[in-house]
Amino acid sequence: MINDLWYKNAVIYCLSVGTYMDANGDGVGDFQGLMRRLDYLHGLGITAIWLMPFQTSPQRDDGYDVSDYYNVDPRYGTLGDFVEFTHGAKQRGIRVIIDLVVNHTSNEHAWFKEARRDPHSKHRDWYVWSKQKPSHAQKGMVFPGVQKSTWSYDEQAHAWYFHRFYDFQPDLNTSHPEVQAEILKIMGFWIQLGVSGFRMDAVPFIIATKGPKVKKPEEQYDMLRSFREFLQWRQGDCIILAEANVLPETDMEYFGSDGDRMHMMFNFQVNQHLFYALAAADTRPLVKAMKATKPRPATAQWGLFLRNHDELDLGRLEEGQRQQVFAAFGSKPEMQLYERGIRRRLAPMLDGDRRRLELAYSLLFTLPGTPVIRYGDELGMGEDLSLPERNCARTPMQWSNEPHGGFTKNAKPAVPVISGGPYGFEHINAAIQRRNPNSLLNWTERIIRMRKEVPEVGWGDFTVIPTRNLAVLVMRYAWRNNWVLFVHNFDAKPHEISFSVGLHNEAERLLVNLLAEEHSYGDEHGKHRLVIEAYGYRWYRVGGLDYLLRRSEIDQGEEAP
Ligand code: NOJ
């Protein structure tokens, strides 16, 4: 395969325009501000931006409640500013993917307003109604503890409407051909304005059957193929990255066995088990999750992440595992959310411990897939637990130690910048870290540069190498006659391990360390012995640095020549 599927080996940076940079001084971030920070992002080395919802919205769920799909929310700028932004990104070789939130609209969307008002209107059937209260109205809430039901009564419509999420987010009747056609139209619109793809929100719910009689929704997977086909016709390199927290059994349904559905999916399975491994220094469940999510079509890719804008959902862990993660990273009730997760940022979860942060990021950049990092994590930003629900981890970017972290000139930013304490903007900010060669920011920049020079991770096949040590993970990747090997120690104490690279050739006796002058030389049987410090990590190339001279034009799989 020609390796021009950009998403197979990208570094994606997720940000929200409203909290990145406020250029017009009204206290809310905007596209003008974001544009001024494109050089920062370019310097960091990321290759794509995932932009969170920015369309017109009453902002009751941080923009995941859209009231006009074909406009930019005036707080953030205009369509003109948006096109300037995608153009500016393109000039720097950065792709833009945007959120596509079409499972539901805002209840202030003109379609819903008309649907409520007039039972005979065109848009009535675009939503999901019931004359009586469905018996299962108190089931299936996505935000348990906050959201009370999935059906609400509408006085004006004299009927109940379905909402998988909050009551101000009425579900679209996504099985309706007109709704499906509108979804394609929305995608077509933004493609025309310069985007390279979509992070599709809530995919399992979009494709589920919906209605008052549907007690056990069924997924209509073929819908995914029609989205994909449309995209590929309109613009060949456009992708969909699906948000689908599903079990590995159904992964192939989402990717399509011929790679004809979603290009990418977030790997929630690996995410949750990774946090368990970090909490318990036990890599077994993580390895299991990696193996369970290994099968995928050659054109498909996993999106890997540590933390995102939502809570860290631990719902797929066993009860004992979940309790261990809570105990390690979010033991206080105010740190937990929706009876299943932790709402904190990564740095405070790891006690701001640089060794653990590097370990976590080293894993993110070497596990099989494309890394997705979240704005501010490159600085080790913290959270503000006084803000409700998930808002605690959505505070403004900390640029400098000037007022409000250099985010705005306004005296009252819409969302307060974190100030004071160990994570305050006064000392956690981009300006200070830029000047310090050892800062997390500069470390992140260097690790991104190295990750881009190790395409074996994105393109190759991985093998987990046994070490008889639960706390240490050794992974090998093979691609085009080259091999790389990564070692990670999850434990708070050092470990001595020994392992064979497993290639049975001469090359495997030399492991060249890519990050330090500390190479590993195997014995005559090819066995390597290594003492790895607490939370240590190693990136090795197998056999030497002549790898580019050895790289083959096509992939020959695992075998040595
Ligand atoms: C998933 C998004 O990540 C989350 O932030 C949002 O609240 C729901 N979908 C509803 O759109």
Side-chain angles (χ1 to χ4, degrees):
M1 195 195 308
I2 309 250
N3 56 329
D4 63 354
L5 305 179
W6 64 269
Y7 56 93
K8 289 275 292 185
N9 207 30
V11 179
I12 303 178
Y13 184 96
C14 154
L15 70 90
S16 157
V17 59
T19 47
Y20 211 57
M21 173 91 188
D22 169 26
N24 69 5
D26 65 353
V28 179
D30 46 42
F31 278 107
Q32 293 277 353
L34 173 52
M35 248 178 299
R36 294 178 196 175
R37 291 298 182 183
L38 278 175
D39 292 316
Y40 166 83
L41 292 169
H42 187 225
L44 193 57
I46 55 111
T47 63
I49 294 172
W50 154 26
L51 194 61
M52 303 190 50
F54 56 85
Q55 290 88 348
T56 315
S57 160
Q59 300 289 338
R60 295 180 67 189
D61 183 15
D62 213 19
Y64 284 95
D65 48 333
V66 177
S67 57
D68 181 358
Y69 289 98
Y70 300 104
N71 254 310
V72 167
D73 192 295
R75 274 167 272 216
Y76 305 143
T78 63
L79 281 174
D81 294 329
F82 181 79
V83 171
E84 284 299 294
F85 158 67
T86 53
H87 174 72
K90 192 172 174 191
Q91 276 190 315
R92 291 165 178 83
I94 299 174
R95 291 175 182 271
V96 177
I97 64 178
I98 64 170
D99 251 286
L100 180 68
V101 189
V102 290
N103 174 65
H104 45 267
T105 67
S106 155
N107 58 353
E108 292 183 33
H109 196 293
W111 303 335
F112 190 66
K113 286 188 185 161
E114 187 191 272
R116 300 170 66 191
R117 203 172 47 233
D118 179 359
H120 306 292
S121 70
K122 164 180 154 105
H123 292 119
R124 181 74 161 204
D125 287 346
W126 284 32
Y127 294 88
V128 186
W129 300 98
S130 174
K131 285 223 156 62
Q132 264 93 45
K133 179 177 182 178
S135 57
H136 52 286
Q138 252 68 41
K139 296 218 166 78
M141 283 82 78
V142 177
F143 304 125
V146 184
Q147 181 192 354
K148 301 281 175 268
S149 70
T150 49
W151 288 86
S152 291
Y153 187 69
D154 187 77
E155 300 279 351
Q156 201 181 1
H158 300 298
W160 296 76
Y161 66 93
F162 176 62
H163 51 90
R164 175 60 70 188
F165 297 93
Y166 295 111
D167 59 0
F168 55 82
Q169 289 165 316
D171 264 50
L172 281 164
N173 177 6
T174 41
S175 301
H176 194 306
E178 284 174 15
V179 172
Q180 292 178 6
E182 191 74 28
I183 293 174
L184 302 188
K185 199 191 272 186
I186 294 166
M187 291 200 283
F189 178 82
W190 293 104
I191 289 173
Q192 215 65 28
L193 300 190
V195 310
S196 295
F198 302 91
R199 177 261 188 198
M200 199 176 225
D201 189 59
V203 175
F205 301 129
I206 294 178
I207 62 174
T209 48
K210 308 178 185 186
K213 298 214 170 65
V214 180
K215 290 210 170 122
K216 234 182 141 280
E218 270 176 41
E219 288 84 8
Q220 307 162 92
Y221 294 109
D222 231 31
M223 258 162 90
L224 301 175
R225 186 190 156 98
S226 59
F227 298 148
R228 165 84 179 242
E229 261 176 3
F230 172 82
L231 271 196
Q232 240 69 110
W233 275 111
R234 278 283 165 100
Q235 187 173 298
D237 60 352
C238 222
I239 66 150
I240 301 182
L241 162 54
E243 186 221 11
N245 182 352
V246 292
L247 289 170
E249 292 87 279
T250 58
D251 289 345
M252 285 306 263
E253 300 281 10
Y254 285 88
F255 285 134
S257 43
D258 289 335
D260 52 346
R261 293 176 183 163
M262 303 286 92
H263 304 74
M264 291 185 80
M265 273 169 83
F266 283 113
N267 197 331
F268 282 92
Q269 196 72 14
V270 161
N271 175 259
Q272 309 194 9
H273 291 94
L274 174 56
F275 274 95
Y276 169 74
L278 290 169
D282 172 3
T283 58
R284 284 170 303 178
L286 171 62
V287 170
K288 213 168 146 199
M290 288 167 66
K291 290 186 176 163
T293 54
K294 189 170 182 182
R296 57 176 194 264
T299 55
Q301 185 58 298
W302 287 113
L304 295 167
F305 61 104
L306 291 167
R307 289 289 292 110
N308 61 19
H309 61 294
D310 290 327
E311 79 287 2
L312 166 64
D313 186 339
L314 302 171
R316 302 262 178 232
L317 297 182
E318 288 166 12
E319 185 54 29
Q321 298 174 334
R322 189 168 30 252
Q323 291 315 326
Q324 258 177 287
V325 182
F326 276 134
F329 300 135
S331 54
K332 297 194 181 136
E334 71 267 24
M335 297 171 173
Q336 302 178 4
L337 194 61
Y338 309 139
E339 300 158 12
R340 61 163 181 247
I342 298 177
R343 63 185 191 121
R344 310 183 70 195
R345 277 256 194 186
L346 185 72
M349 281 169 75
L350 300 180
D351 288 331
D353 183 334
R354 180 66 182 266
R355 296 168 309 165
R356 296 167 84 192
L357 283 167
E358 286 188 22
L359 172 74
Y361 272 99
S362 173
L363 281 158
L364 177 70
F365 284 106
T366 56
L367 284 167
T370 281
V372 183
I373 59 179
R374 176 149 167 76
Y375 81 91
D377 279 356
E378 73 272 31
L379 308 175
M381 266 174 56
E383 74 259 343
D384 177 352
L385 292 175
S386 72
L387 297 173
E389 289 183 65
R390 294 159 292 160
N391 293 353
C392 58
R394 300 175 177 180
T395 57
M397 179 69 175
Q398 296 171 196
W399 293 109
S400 71
N401 55 3
E402 294 184 354
H404 304 294
F407 161 71
T408 179
K409 286 259 183 226
N410 195 291
K412 259 186 150 304
V415 182
V417 181
I418 293 179
S419 78
Y423 299 96
F425 73 86
E426 297 85 349
H427 45 270
I428 299 282
N429 66 61
I432 289 183
Q433 293 202 17
R434 251 202 214 93
R435 295 181 203 121
N436 174 0
N438 296 321
S439 66
L440 186 60
L441 175 63
N442 283 319
W443 180 87
T444 307
E445 184 189 319
R446 288 193 296 272
I447 211 76
I448 291 176
R449 184 200 301 159
M450 187 50 83
R451 171 62 176 76
K452 284 155 87 177
E453 292 191 43
V454 189
E456 287 82 358
V457 180
W459 285 99
D461 258 338
F462 75 89
T463 307
V464 174
I465 295 186
T467 61
R468 294 215 204 93
N469 187 323
L470 302 184
V472 182
L473 176 66
V474 181
M475 299 177 280
R476 183 188 75 215
Y477 285 86
W479 184 65
R480 293 199 178 173
N481 199 29
N482 277 300
W483 293 267
V484 284
L485 188 134
F486 304 102
V487 184
H488 291 92
N489 177 11
F490 287 70
D491 210 348
K493 50 181 199 280
H495 282 269
E496 181 167 10
I497 55 161
S498 80
F499 61 89
S500 300
V501 179
L503 295 174
H504 311 294
N505 62 12
E506 194 45 35
E508 67 178 5
R509 285 185 63 181
L510 172 61
L511 297 178
V512 179
N513 191 323
L514 294 175
L515 304 172
E517 289 298 340
E518 195 202 8
H519 313 298
S520 178
Y521 303 92
D523 65 15
E524 66 276 19
H525 308 292
K527 255 229 148 61
H528 290 262
R529 256 171 244 289
L530 170 73
V531 177
I532 184 153
E533 67 282 4
Y535 304 121
Y537 59 93
R538 300 280 187 281
W539 292 28
Y540 293 120
R541 272 208 174 273
V542 180
L545 291 181
D546 60 342
Y547 63 102
L548 290 177
L549 304 174
R550 278 193 281 125
R551 185 182 286 173
S552 56
E553 283 298 295
I554 53 162
D555 193 17
Q556 292 151 338
E558 283 279 283
E559 275 168 50

